[in-house]
Amino acid sequence: MAILVTGGGGFIGANFVLDWLSHSDEPVINLDALTYAGNLENLAALRGDTRHVFVKGDICDAALVGRLFAEYRPRAVVHFAAESHVDRSIHGPGAFMRTNVEGTFSLLEQARAFWGTLPAAVRAQFRFHHVSTDEVYGSLGPTDAAFTEEHPYQPNSPYSASKAASDHLVRAWHHTYGLPVLTTNCSNNYGPYHFPEKLIPLMIVNALAGEPLPIYGDGMNVRDWLYVRDHCSGIRTVLERGRVGETYNIGGWNEIPNRDIVQTVCSLLDELRPSPAGPYGHLITHVTDRPGHDRRYAIDARKIERELGWRPTETFPSGIRKTVRWYLDNPDWVAHVQSGAYREWVDRQYSAASDPT
Ligand code: NAD
Ligand code: TYD
């Protein structure tokens, strides 16, 4: 028995692989193209561990994926591989269409071909678990009810449109071909190994470097924040007990405006690593807003609790404290991911965005 994980070199995928192998000896075949967001250092703890088979490759490479299915005969696929950053999708949507839409299509086809060869009893147990986002549901007003699984799809960014497309493909492969799929739509994750182009890790690494903390627009955009290890346990729960063909929202019950997130990071750093230059809050700067910036996401995660008994264990204060500590304790990881390509992105994204007026 084994599972095939795609994108297991990225932020959530790597946390998932580490979490999986800390709970089970079932091997993980980890297929990752190692784009700018993939990093084998995330998996350094598994060096020499024969339960982890890393394969560098693209989910769009049908021949490679077909060979992996034939060789390892996984009982499940957990599909994380994606282009995941909204700002990058605004600058260059093509890569999002290729990996998130074509890649998911190609993976579904390879999974379907393999699944079709299995004996009936094994076929019934096979699962294709698609990891998606709450961003497919669009943007909420301040008093709107949180997203349930029945909320209409209203994606607003190239990223969320590409994820919405992939969710629809997964749904269709179940309805048309009977492929036993599960989809989870989760909120904004945070925690260890988060690439510092996303809000929380960017604020931590910029503050420590004495660089500006760029808040888009008025900073009152709201996200629901989910500690990544809670997300991993949510996925394990759905994979184990979720009803085939269903989607489950996974959220942290932590709706927080960006401004408060950045303030919290600054306060924790003031406590844990005070700067001789004074409180980190002085580095906060409001910059030009993201085009089409969704105002509010909120997840109603009652279905997964009701049906499967899952709830997150971290509160935001406990999770963010662990996260900040992790970045303070792992300066080498931070230094290594801030490569030339990373600097190029930061220069490109923030050089023109310095003044909202
Ligand atoms: P990430 O960008 O950190 O990692 C993505 C991984 O996929 C990287 O390791 C990358 O190398 C790999 N990859 C990209 N293109 C590939 C390809 N063509 N073939 C093989 N591998 C490829 O992303 P993440 O934050 O870990 O997100 C993982 C999944 O969870 C994504 O599907 C994302 O849409 C979803 N999600 C993320 C969040 C979040 O807050 N980060 C929230 C909701 C849903
Ligand atoms: P991000 O981490 O990119 O996740 P997403 O866009 O998928 O929600 O951004 C989280 C929020 O933080 C979002 O409202 C945009 C905002 N943001 C900033 O204000 N400044 C930044 O430099 C970044 C990267 C994000």
Side-chain angles (χ1 to χ4, degrees), residues 159-177:
Y159 164 66
S160 55
S162 69
K163 290 297 290 187
S166 66
D167 292 10
H168 291 326
L169 293 175
V170 170
R171 176 188 164 87
W173 260 241
H174 173 63
H175 280 265
T176 303
Y177 303 114

Side-chain angles (χ1 to χ4, degrees), residues 3 33 53 56 79 94 98 102 104 107 130 165 178 181 189 232 252 255 292 298 352:
I3 62 167
V53 179
K56 183 177 182 313
H79 176 33
R98 183 178 176 278
E102 289 173 36
T104 301
L107 191 63
H130 177 56
V181 307
N189 285 218
C232 294
E255 266 190 73

Side-chain angles (χ1 to χ4, degrees), residues 40-205:
L40 283 179
E41 276 190 61
N42 299 352
L43 299 161
L46 299 176
R47 228 167 257 149
D49 189 329
T50 53
R51 299 172 305 166
H52 178 233
V53 179
F54 184 82
V55 180
K56 183 177 182 313
D58 194 322
I59 55 166
C60 299
D61 182 344
L64 169 65
V65 174
R67 278 202 304 279
L68 293 180
F69 274 113
E71 182 174 352
Y72 295 103
R73 309 188 65 73
R75 70 169 174 96
V77 177
V78 187
H79 176 33
F80 295 95
E83 290 291 337
S84 69
H85 189 32
V86 173
D87 292 323
R88 286 187 189 256
S89 81
I90 295 168
H91 287 289
F96 289 72
M97 302 308 132
R98 183 178 176 278
T99 288
N100 301 1
V101 185
E102 289 173 36
T104 301
F105 160 69
S106 185
L107 191 63
L108 281 166
E109 278 295 80
Q110 292 309 312
R112 180 167 78 90
F114 168 68
W115 171 74
T117 66
L118 296 173
V122 186
R123 265 167 76 102
Q125 294 307 313
F126 185 83
R127 295 289 182 271
F128 184 103
H129 186 133
H130 177 56
V131 178
S132 192
T133 168
D134 58 0
E135 303 194 24
V136 298
Y137 299 125
S139 183
L140 293 170
T143 56
D144 290 344
F147 301 130
T148 67
E149 290 79 359
E150 277 71 50
H151 196 280
Y153 270 42
Q154 293 172 332
N156 292 319
S157 72
Y159 164 66
S160 55
S162 69
K163 290 297 290 187
S166 66
D167 292 10
H168 291 326
L169 293 175
V170 170
R171 176 188 164 87
W173 260 241
H174 173 63
H175 280 265
T176 303
Y177 303 114
L179 188 68
V181 307
L182 298 157
T183 296
T184 47
N185 294 83
C186 75
S187 54
N188 285 57
N189 285 218
Y190 68 102
Y193 305 110
H194 204 182
F195 192 76
E197 65 181 358
K198 307 278 173 76
L199 180 70
I200 288 179
L202 182 78
M203 296 301 147
I204 299 171
V205 306

Side-chain angles (χ1 to χ4, degrees), residues 279-356:
Y280 289 99
H282 291 124
L283 296 169
I284 293 174
T285 143
H286 285 262
V287 301
T288 310
D289 210 352
R290 169 187 284 172
H293 194 176
D294 283 340
R295 194 65 177 164
R296 173 173 166 242
Y297 304 141
I299 278 266
D300 181 336
R302 282 179 296 179
K303 177 177 173 182
I304 185 173
E305 180 168 0
R306 196 174 56 244
E307 287 193 10
L308 308 177
W310 179 91
R311 256 191 88 82
T313 59
E314 295 292 344
T315 62
F316 188 71
S318 65
I320 192 68
R321 182 171 283 274
K322 284 184 183 172
T323 303
V324 170
R325 275 194 196 285
W326 187 86
Y327 280 84
L328 291 173
D329 291 344
N330 290 276
D332 290 347
W333 184 91
V334 172
H336 295 166
V337 297
Q338 290 181 308
S339 65
Y342 173 78
R343 300 271 20 130
E344 274 165 36
W345 163 254
V346 169
D347 289 346
R348 175 176 185 179
Q349 171 66 5
Y350 297 99
S351 62
S354 51
D355 185 354

